[in-house]
């Protein structure tokens, strides 16, 4: 379904019991809500699952390509307002975690609980900003398909390429289908995002942190640093997974997610 949210058409899907606890899944860059299909299938019998395509991604409109994480949070809050959800559990992976963290900082009353997956609270370092700039130059020059070919090399574990090549191809196709303008705009948003580390000790919502044991983009040390600062948070390592932990090991990921949701329901 597509509706105009915060001034732009956003694609979203609602599954499960509309009267149950809302669970909002926020995908990473440069993916789409399709990445959460295995989690929606796992939770929809007991909860109200909302997935959506972040502005510029998937089936949501690209618009002017001038994005910020703040704008993405505005879209998130406007969407749950539109669907009349007073508060929700936010499940965010990578960029989705950045969006969830800023929502926790800015709109804590709207967050019932949070699951931060393969993410971090720190802003980009200078080195990371330069890598984003190189990515912008690359996608402008070579297009989204070439960008996708390079991007997937860093987000999956080696065993995933060997044992689940169809999964890698699926994500490669999602990235290749993005507008280069949207890719460049999101890279700028990621490079310019605020550092939410100082707000972590003030988080009151129950929080679970998940990280793939082989995640080189947002490694265990980044997850542990958040865990040490967020009161009463829990931290779990997803084995046999890198940055795409929900896709690479959905069995363990879903087990941890369902146990957490039962505790916060």
């Amino acid at each position: 379904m597509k509706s105009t949210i915060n001034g732009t058409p956003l694609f979203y899907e609602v599954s499960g019991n509309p009267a149950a606890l809302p669970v909002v899944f926020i995908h990473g860059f440069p993916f789409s809500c399709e990445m959460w299909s295995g989690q929606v299938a796992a939770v929809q019998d007991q909860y109200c699952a909302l997935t959506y395509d972040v502005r510029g991604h998937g089936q949501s409109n690209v618009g002017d390509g001038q994005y910020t994480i703040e704008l993405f949070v505005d879209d998130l809050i406007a969407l749950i307002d539109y669907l009349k959800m007073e508060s929700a559990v936010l499940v965010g992976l990578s960029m989705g975690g950045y969006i969830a963290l800023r929502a926790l900082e800015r709109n804590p009353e709207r967050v019932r609980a949070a699951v931060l997956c393969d993410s971090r609270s720190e802003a980009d370092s200078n080195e990371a900003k330069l890598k984003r700039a190189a990515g912008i130059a690359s996608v402008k020059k070579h297009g989204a398909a070439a960008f996708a070919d390079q991007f997937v090399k860093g987000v999956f574990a080696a065993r995933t390429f060997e044992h689940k090549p169809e999964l890698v191809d699926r994500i490669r196709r999602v990235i290749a289908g993005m507008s280069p303008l949207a890719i460049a705009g999101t890279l700028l948003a990621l490079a310019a995002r605020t550092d939410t580390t100082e707000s972590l000790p003030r988080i009151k919502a129950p929080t679970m942190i998940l990280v793939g044991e082989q995640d080189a983009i947002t490694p265990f040390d980044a997850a542990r640093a958040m865990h040490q600062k967020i009161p009463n948070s829990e931290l779990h390592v997803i084995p046999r997974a890198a940055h795409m932990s929900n896709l690479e090991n959905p069995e363990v990921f879903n087990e941890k997610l369902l146990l957490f949701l039962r505790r916060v329901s």
Side-chain angles (χ1 to χ4, degrees), residues 186-229:
T186 310
L187 284 166
L188 281 171
L190 293 170
R193 74 184 189 276
T194 58
D195 190 312
T196 55
T197 304
E198 287 190 4
S199 69
L200 298 182
R202 298 193 294 273
I203 293 176
K204 294 183 172 59
T207 303
M208 178 171 68
I209 301 161
L210 301 176
V211 60
E213 67 174 342
Q214 299 173 46
D215 190 344
I217 296 176
T218 51
F220 175 76
D221 286 349
R224 180 173 57 188
M226 289 195 294
H227 170 54
Q228 290 172 341
K229 292 180 176 67

Side-chain angles (χ1 to χ4, degrees), residues 3-4 12 41 80 91 101 122 149 194 226 245 251 261:
S3 298
T4 298
Y12 68 91
I80 63 177
V91 183
L101 280 166
E122 298 91 356
D149 289 341
T194 58
M226 289 195 294
S245 59
E251 295 81 12
L261 291 175

Side-chain angles (χ1 to χ4, degrees), residues 15-252:
S15 306
N17 180 359
L21 175 69
V23 183
V24 181
F25 293 92
I26 315 169
H27 65 77
F29 165 80
F31 314 125
S32 73
C33 65
E34 180 186 337
M35 67 168 283
W36 294 116
S37 59
Q39 284 64 55
V40 171
V43 308
Q44 64 184 355
D45 287 345
Q46 302 173 63
Y47 305 99
C48 178
L50 167 62
T51 58
Y52 73 102
D53 287 336
V54 171
R55 181 185 295 242
H57 296 68
Q59 299 181 60
S60 289
N61 278 33
V62 173
D64 60 11
Q66 296 179 13
Y67 308 147
T68 62
I69 295 298
E70 200 72 10
L71 177 60
F72 293 157
V73 177
D74 290 342
D75 290 345
L76 168 64
I77 299 302
L79 179 59
I80 63 177
D81 280 344
Y82 178 78
L83 296 172
K84 297 179 170 54
M85 297 176 176
E86 290 187 12
S87 65
V89 178
L90 302 184
V91 183
L93 184 138
S94 194
M95 177 183 73
Y98 307 152
I99 295 169
L101 280 166
R102 180 62 182 133
L104 276 161
E105 186 176 49
R106 203 186 83 178
N107 303 92
E109 75 285 353
R110 309 306 297 274
V111 185
R112 173 75 172 269
V115 183
L116 306 173
C117 319
D118 300 279
S119 196
R120 65 168 76 234
S121 62
E122 298 91 356
D124 271 5
S125 65
N126 285 343
E127 179 185 9
K129 287 176 178 167
L130 291 173
K131 287 182 179 179
R132 307 275 193 207
I136 292 169
S138 174
V139 76
K140 285 183 174 182
K141 183 176 182 179
H142 302 294
F147 182 86
D149 289 341
Q150 286 299 118
F151 196 91
V152 295
K153 294 177 182 178
V155 295
F156 289 106
R159 72 184 316 276
T160 303
F161 284 92
E162 181 180 355
H163 297 289
K164 297 181 179 180
E166 72 288 348
L167 175 59
V168 178
D169 287 340
R170 172 182 153 200
I171 294 300
R172 182 186 286 111
R173 287 195 298 272
V174 170
I175 302 170
M178 272 190 78
S179 158
L181 175 64
I183 292 175
T186 310
L187 284 166
L188 281 171
L190 293 170
R193 74 184 189 276
T194 58
D195 190 312
T196 55
T197 304
E198 287 190 4
S199 69
L200 298 182
R202 298 193 294 273
I203 293 176
K204 294 183 172 59
T207 303
M208 178 171 68
I209 301 161
L210 301 176
V211 60
E213 67 174 342
Q214 299 173 46
D215 190 344
I217 296 176
T218 51
F220 175 76
D221 286 349
R224 180 173 57 188
M226 289 195 294
H227 170 54
Q228 290 172 341
K229 292 180 176 67
I230 300 175
N232 303 312
S233 62
E234 54 186 276
L235 169 63
H236 303 285
V237 176
I238 306 299
R240 302 182 303 281
H243 194 60
M244 306 295 292
S245 59
N246 71 305
L247 291 171
E248 295 179 275
N249 194 340
E251 295 81 12
V252 174

